[in-house]
């Protein structure tokens, strides 16, 4: 919404209000949007533009935004030519069409503030000042019969930012900040079941750079030679959720420290990562058959990267899940391990895989049947297990390895190997038997697996194993054929 308020600007010095109005229409068109208005009248040195509408249409989604008036006037602010102030109330709608079924919702935006625009032709600058921006929406048509009524609102406070545009190169950068971003949502069914959610982020920043692209052309966005980068950060976060069923509440509170979302799009690849530090989850309520439970995580981060468009050369791929310092409060431990047999060390999980591969179809089409019509939509060339780490209750499993993929046969075949190390696994299994969480008979398959696939290192309760996949299709465990 902030990007819509601060439209891309012109490419010549000392812009007049009429110059800027014409340039807005041209640049909205470059981004796949239609910009129209009923009238534009001069009032002194200002231009009053009335009955303004923005729209964007493609096969699946149609979006419209309208507002009554926009005033473009000269400014004395250093480094800027004009300032733009619009009427605060915006009305919009979004309509999606899936397999002939239409689903639409309306939304309202209130934005009080203005922005300034100026700078040289090859680098227009914009400065944004909006003390508060709020949004609310409701479903208009096409909602499923079992979908309960929903109220959603969002608010940005103390929104400020800077934009720059180079129209010759059709590139853009932006740096936006807000003191707080909050979302409120509530749902209530006829049966009386209800859910209420309050979400808040403090000290929010958003930065990005990349080409100005047509947002209606998803494949074109991914195909751009210049990669678009985007990063969203917050200093702290809070989520409160209350679910009520049969008169009993379940309350969930999630507190978080620094969090981020980073994304890159271009050169045929989508690459994004999410991170959250110092997460604490508290679950309580009369609906739970247990006392309040608290779970803490020092850090949670993920990454996913894959090619989205067919290319001649292989592109980067990645999959990462990292959970550090997972702990559960003693109240829950006492329910399953009253004697304290299992050590209360923080649990950790890391899976970090990278590789090279190709998309064989356009993954941006949004049509699952078309993606799978010719068989596998992806072709993998190589895979590397950079890190596998699982630790819990004093036991730890680690692994690493790599393989190339032979795609010449009927089925893709990996050729390479993975090395594993297991420490304290049998000791932990014994402690779980002691608590009653496992039966002794359930431990026997683990002992058999260690005997088949692993070998002792000579250290106490420590095993190593190497699994290999050969070019001939054989699988070896520590050099011994398994098939």
């Amino acid at each position: 919404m902030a990007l819509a308020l601060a439209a891309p600007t012109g490419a010549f010095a000392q812009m007049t209000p009429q110059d800027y109005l014409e340039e807005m229409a041209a640049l909205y068109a470059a981004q796949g949007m239609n910009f129209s208005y009923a009238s534009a009248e001069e009032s002194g040195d200002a231009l009053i533009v009335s009955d303004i509408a923005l729209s964007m249409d493609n096969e699946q989604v149609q979006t419209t935004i309208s507002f009554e008036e926009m005033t473009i006037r000269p400014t004395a602010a250093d480094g800027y030519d004009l300032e733009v102030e619009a009427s605060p109330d915006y009305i919009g709608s979004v309509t999606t069409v899936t397999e002939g079924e239409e689903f639409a919702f309306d939304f309202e935006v209130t934005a009080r503030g203005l922005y300034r625009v100026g700078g040289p032709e090859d680098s227009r600058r914009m400065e944004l000042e909006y003390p508060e921006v709020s949004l609310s929406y409701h479903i208009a048509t096409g909602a499923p019969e079992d979908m309960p009524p929903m109220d959603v609102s969002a608010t940005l406070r103390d929104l400020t930012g800077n934009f720059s545009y180079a129209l010759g190169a059709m590139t853009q950068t932006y740096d936006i900040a807000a003191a707080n971003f909050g979302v409120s949502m509530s749902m209530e069914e006829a049966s009386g079941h209800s859910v209420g959610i309050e979400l808040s982020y403090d000290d929010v920043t958003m930065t990005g750079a990349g080409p100005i692209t047509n947002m209606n052309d998803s494949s074109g966005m991914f195909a751009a030679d210049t990669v678009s980068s985007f990063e969203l950060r917050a200093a702290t976060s809070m989520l409160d959720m209350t679910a009520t069923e049969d008169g009993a509440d379940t309350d969930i509170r999630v507190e978080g420290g620094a969090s981020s979302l980073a994304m890159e799009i271009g050169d045929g690849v989508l690459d994004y990562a999410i991170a959250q530090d110092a997460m604490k989850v508290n679950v309580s309520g009369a609906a739970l058959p247990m006392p309040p439970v608290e779970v803490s995580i020092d850090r949670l981060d993920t990454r996913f990267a894959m090619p989205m468009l067919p290319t001649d050369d292989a592109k980067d791929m990645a999959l990462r899940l990292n959970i550090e310092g997972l702990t559960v409060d003693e109240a829950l431990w006492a329910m399953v391990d009253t004697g304290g047999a299992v050590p209360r060390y923080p649990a950790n999980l890391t899976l970090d895989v990278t590789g090279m591969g190709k998309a064989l179809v356009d993954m941006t089409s949004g049509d699952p049947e078309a993606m799978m019509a010719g068989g596998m939509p992806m072709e993998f060339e190589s895979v590397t297990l950079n890190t596998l780490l699982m630790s819990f209750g004093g036991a730890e499993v680690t692994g690493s390895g790599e393989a190339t993929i032979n795609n010449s046969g009927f089925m893709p075949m990996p050729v390479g190997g993975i090395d594993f190390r297991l420490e304290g696994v049998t000791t932990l299994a014994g402690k779980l038997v002691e608590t009653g969480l496992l039966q002794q008979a359930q431990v026997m398959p683990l002992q058999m697996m260690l005997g088949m696939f692993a070998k002792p290192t000579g250290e106490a309760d420590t095993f190593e194993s190497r699994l290999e996949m050969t070019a001939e299709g054989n699988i070896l465990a520590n050099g011994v054929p398994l098939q």
Side-chain angles (χ1 to χ4, degrees):
M1 182 190 62
L3 291 173
L5 291 171
T9 60
F12 40 87
Q14 299 299 319
M15 285 183 295
T16 68
Q18 185 63 43
D19 291 334
Y20 181 62
L21 181 62
E22 294 172 1
E23 185 135 319
M24 272 199 294
L27 286 174
Y28 274 126
Q31 295 176 87
M33 290 181 280
N34 300 313
F35 175 75
S36 62
Y37 53 90
S39 64
E41 299 180 358
E42 293 183 356
S43 176
D45 56 1
L47 187 66
I48 311 298
V49 186
S50 302
D51 296 329
I52 301 155
L54 284 169
S55 63
M56 183 169 62
D57 300 329
N58 60 38
E59 293 181 358
Q60 282 95 22
V61 182
Q62 295 83 46
T63 304
T64 62
I65 301 173
S66 61
F67 52 102
E68 292 182 358
E69 189 174 273
M70 176 172 63
T71 301
I72 309 171
R73 55 181 174 255
T75 179
D78 187 29
Y80 297 95
D81 299 330
L82 304 168
E83 65 180 26
V84 182
E85 186 172 9
S87 52
D89 298 320
Y90 298 71
I91 304 298
S93 68
V94 177
T95 302
T96 63
V97 179
T98 304
E99 296 181 353
E101 296 293 329
E102 184 177 289
F103 175 78
F105 66 86
D106 299 333
F107 62 89
E108 299 177 359
V109 177
T110 299
R112 302 182 187 278
L114 56 82
Y115 66 91
R116 303 177 186 89
V117 57
E121 295 180 4
D122 60 351
S123 181
R124 279 300 179 213
R125 297 192 309 272
M126 304 186 72
E127 183 180 59
L128 187 69
E129 292 182 5
Y130 284 82
E132 182 172 297
V133 178
S134 61
L135 176 148
S136 62
Y137 93 90
H138 69 275
I139 296 170
T141 60
E145 292 182 0
D146 58 350
M147 185 174 182
M150 180 186 304
D151 293 322
V152 178
S153 61
T155 303
L156 280 164
R157 293 187 173 87
D158 295 332
L159 178 66
T160 60
N162 293 282
F163 296 79
S164 66
Y165 295 84
L167 295 183
M170 289 297 285
T171 59
Q172 61 182 333
T173 65
Y174 49 91
D175 186 349
I176 306 171
N180 175 266
F181 172 59
V183 178
S184 177
M185 182 176 72
S186 62
M187 295 181 292
E188 185 170 359
E189 299 178 352
S191 62
H193 299 171
S194 64
V195 176
I197 297 174
E198 298 288 338
L199 175 64
S200 177
Y201 290 91
D202 290 328
D203 297 330
V204 180
T205 60
M206 183 174 70
T207 58
I212 299 173
T213 56
N214 186 333
M215 290 183 287
N216 272 324
D217 181 11
S218 56
S219 62
M221 294 170 63
F222 282 97
D225 294 334
T226 304
V227 174
S228 295
S229 62
F230 165 90
E231 187 168 24
L232 183 64
R233 290 184 173 274
T236 60
S237 62
M238 177 76 74
L239 168 67
D240 282 307
M241 182 173 76
T242 299
T244 302
E245 185 172 358
D246 297 330
D249 291 345
T250 300
D251 299 312
I252 301 174
R253 165 165 282 201
V254 182
E255 302 175 54
S259 59
S260 65
L261 165 64
M263 182 179 298
E264 290 187 350
I265 297 174
D267 195 27
V269 175
L270 166 66
D271 190 340
Y272 70 87
I274 302 172
Q276 172 72 68
D277 290 335
M279 182 190 299
K280 185 179 293 184
V281 182
N282 186 281
V283 183
S284 62
L288 292 178
M290 62 180 69
V293 175
E294 186 170 282
V295 178
S296 298
I297 299 176
D298 292 341
R299 181 173 176 81
L300 169 65
D301 64 84
T302 65
R303 182 191 173 203
F304 179 79
M306 67 177 292
M308 302 294 291
L309 298 176
T311 54
D312 294 332
D313 56 330
K315 302 294 183 179
D316 289 335
M317 306 182 72
L319 175 64
R320 176 179 171 84
L321 172 62
N322 181 52
I323 303 173
E324 298 178 15
L326 171 63
T327 59
V328 179
D329 64 13
E330 189 59 33
L332 185 58
W333 270 116
M335 296 178 63
V336 296
D337 182 17
T338 55
V342 179
R344 307 304 201 243
Y345 303 129
N348 301 280
L349 170 64
T350 302
L351 175 65
D352 185 359
V353 181
T354 55
M356 302 294 291
K358 300 177 183 179
L360 303 180
V361 298
D362 183 354
M363 305 292 287
T364 70
S365 67
D367 185 349
E369 293 184 3
M371 285 188 235
M372 299 300 295
M376 289 293 292
M378 302 288 297
E379 180 179 278
F380 302 93
E381 291 194 358
S382 64
V383 178
T384 300
L385 176 61
N386 300 297
T387 306
L388 171 65
L389 167 65
M390 296 182 290
S391 64
F392 167 72
E396 182 175 273
V397 177
T398 58
S400 62
E402 58 184 2
T404 58
I405 310 301
N406 182 357
N407 293 292
S408 61
F410 176 72
M411 290 288 292
M413 295 294 295
V415 179
I418 306 175
D419 295 296
F420 295 98
R421 182 178 175 88
L422 301 88
E423 301 179 36
V425 174
T426 59
T427 300
L428 174 61
K431 294 182 180 299
L432 293 175
V433 170
E434 183 180 338
T435 65
L437 293 174
L438 286 181
Q439 300 298 317
Q440 186 61 47
Q442 295 173 305
V443 178
M444 293 182 62
L446 170 63
Q447 296 171 333
M448 294 176 60
M449 293 286 288
L450 289 174
M452 292 175 58
F453 295 103
K455 58 183 180 181
T457 65
E459 302 174 52
D461 195 9
T462 304
F463 300 84
E464 290 181 345
S465 178
R466 177 171 175 79
L467 295 181
E468 295 180 85
M469 293 74 69
T470 70
E472 294 77 21
N474 297 319
I475 300 177
L476 312 178
N478 302 312
V480 178
L482 296 180
Q483 64 176 39

